[in-house]
């Protein structure tokens, strides 16, 4: 099955339901996410770069909310130390069904395991790298501290968490400006105003963005020793935090 179909899901006027990662979304997901998230490809590519820098031998890497495995594939290609297992987890079987991972250019002693599970339940252990690329935003705000605390406890010393998210801004005028710039980006990617507004309505109650300050305060409170924002475009950012 091809994974390069055009996202037309919100093209027609419709009764809008809450967004879910179902079969229809899985079919068009690569097109949907690259045309919706400014800098998505740069973030995936650089997750590989960070993996090359931080993954330790004889350890686990976790790609939490792996969708079709784009980040997992990039990690696998960039790991340059021995005996690493990548554990890629998603709770949508429809998304995992569309994952296409290639073994080209991957070390023989790197293992990939795709798992259908809820990341709130999955144990994390012996981890040198954990990635949350646009996944924390779908976890209830009240459950985020517990999830990141579990990740911190499962990380080895020197281990790295990559966190990429849609964000909001405390100052309403700035927030509004960034939302408009994001919508302008989507228009440039070929989405109509109707598609933009219907997608927004579908995702509003499902994806809850937080400010950068809230993310950083939480990571500090949990005990991460340093935090570095390495990418930001409008209301999207990526950072890495070290244990
Ligand atoms: C990428 N990281 O291509 N447990 C497991 N998976 C979950 C949960 C949960 N509780 N909640 C949501 N998901 C990917 C993109 S998409 C981001 C991540 C987006 C999964 C959900 O099924 C979906 O596949 C993914 O998190 C979020 O780099 O669509 O904006």
């Amino acid at each position: 099955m091809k994974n390069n179909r055009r996202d037309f899901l919100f093209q027609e006027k419709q009764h809008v339901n809450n967004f879910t990662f179902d079969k229809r979304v899985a079919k068009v997901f690569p097109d949907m996410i690259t045309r919706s998230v400014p800098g998505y490809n740069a973030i995936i590519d650089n997750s590989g770069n960070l993996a090359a820098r931080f993954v330790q031998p004889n350890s686990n890497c976790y790609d939490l909310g792996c969708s079709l495995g784009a980040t997992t594939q990039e990690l696998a290609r960039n790991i340059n130390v021995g005996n690493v297992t990548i554990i890629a987890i998603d709770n949508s079987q429809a998304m995992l069904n569309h994952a296409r991972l290639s073994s080209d250019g991957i070390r023989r002693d790197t293992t990939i395991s795709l798992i259908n599970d809820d990341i709130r339940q999955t144990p994390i252990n012996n981890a040198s790298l954990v990635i949350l690329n646009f996944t924390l935003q779908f976890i209830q705000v009240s459950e985020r501290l517990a999830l990141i605390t579990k990740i911190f406890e499962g990380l080895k010393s020197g281990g790295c968490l990559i966190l990429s998210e849609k964000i909001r801004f405390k100052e309403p005028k700035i927030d509004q400006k960034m939302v408009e710039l994001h919508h302008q980006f989507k228009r440039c990617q070929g989405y109509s105003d109707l598609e933009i507004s219907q997608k927004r309505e579908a995702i509003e109650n499902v994806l809850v963005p937080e400010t950068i300050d809230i993310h950083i305060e939480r990571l500090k409170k949990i005990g991460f020793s340093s935090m570095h924002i390495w990418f930001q475009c409008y209301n999207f950012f990526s950072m890495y935090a070290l244990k």
Side-chain angles (χ1 to χ4, degrees):
M1 193 144 347
K2 284 189 188 158
N3 278 334
N4 55 1
R5 296 188 197 176
R6 185 92 170 159
D7 167 23
F8 54 85
L9 298 185
F10 294 97
Q11 222 167 49
E12 304 299 328
K13 179 110 182 94
Q14 57 198 257
H15 171 78
V16 178
N17 295 313
N18 272 351
F19 188 85
T20 54
F21 291 95
D22 58 15
K23 234 199 277 187
R24 295 173 69 235
V25 169
K27 276 187 189 162
V28 300
F29 187 73
D31 181 68
M32 172 185 278
I33 196 153
T34 46
R35 291 201 293 131
S36 302
V37 175
Y40 173 76
N41 287 328
I43 289 172
I44 301 306
D45 290 352
N46 283 287
S47 297
N49 249 352
L50 291 165
R53 171 71 184 78
F54 291 111
V55 174
Q56 302 173 28
N58 308 309
S59 71
N60 295 327
C61 290
Y62 291 83
D63 180 9
L64 303 179
C66 63
S67 298
L68 273 51
T71 301
T72 296
Q73 183 74 70
E74 211 48 41
L75 292 187
R77 282 204 196 103
N78 280 277
I79 286 169
N80 50 24
V81 292
N83 195 25
V84 173
T85 300
I86 304 175
I87 300 154
I89 302 168
D90 206 286
N91 66 351
S92 161
Q93 187 59 51
M95 297 292 271
L96 294 175
N97 288 346
H98 282 260
R100 293 289 174 270
L101 297 171
S102 144
S103 55
D104 287 357
I106 296 175
R107 289 173 62 106
R108 283 235 181 112
D109 57 359
T110 297
T111 310
I112 302 177
S113 164
L114 271 187
I115 299 174
N116 180 350
D117 199 4
D118 188 320
I119 59 170
R120 293 168 301 173
Q121 317 298 336
T122 320
I124 306 281
N125 53 60
N126 191 34
S128 58
L129 178 64
V130 178
I131 304 195
L132 283 164
N133 273 348
F134 306 106
T135 304
L136 189 68
Q137 60 197 18
F138 293 106
I139 302 295
Q140 293 247 331
V141 170
S142 61
E143 296 182 294
R144 294 180 187 180
L145 180 66
L147 172 61
I148 300 191
T149 302
K150 175 180 75 174
I151 291 171
F152 181 79
E153 286 167 357
L155 273 171
K156 293 160 75 76
S157 172
C160 176
L161 167 67
I162 301 176
L163 175 65
S164 309
E165 289 273 285
K166 186 172 192 183
I167 48 173
R168 68 178 171 83
F169 294 81
K170 205 170 157 190
E171 173 59 52
K173 273 191 185 156
I174 298 175
D175 195 63
Q176 183 55 32
K177 186 57 70 196
M178 291 300 180
V179 168
E180 283 166 17
L181 284 165
H182 176 222
H183 289 173
Q184 194 175 320
F185 166 85
K186 290 188 72 167
R187 254 175 248 121
C188 291
Q189 300 297 315
Y191 284 116
S192 67
D193 287 341
L194 179 65
E195 285 177 292
I196 293 170
S197 76
Q198 293 192 136
K199 172 76 180 286
R200 190 181 190 189
E201 197 183 331
I203 208 121
E204 203 157 54
N205 301 318
V206 179
L207 187 169
V208 181
E210 294 176 299
T211 63
I212 290 183
D213 286 351
I214 291 176
H215 284 296
I216 290 189
E217 277 316 305
R218 184 191 290 122
L219 294 170
K220 270 193 197 154
K221 184 173 163 187
I222 291 171
F224 281 91
S225 62
S226 67
M227 282 138 267
H228 309 274
I229 296 171
W230 66 269
F231 178 92
Q232 187 177 345
C233 181
Y234 310 138
N235 45 358
F236 291 84
F237 96 129
S238 184
M239 67 186 298
Y240 68 90
L242 300 176
K243 179 165 175 176

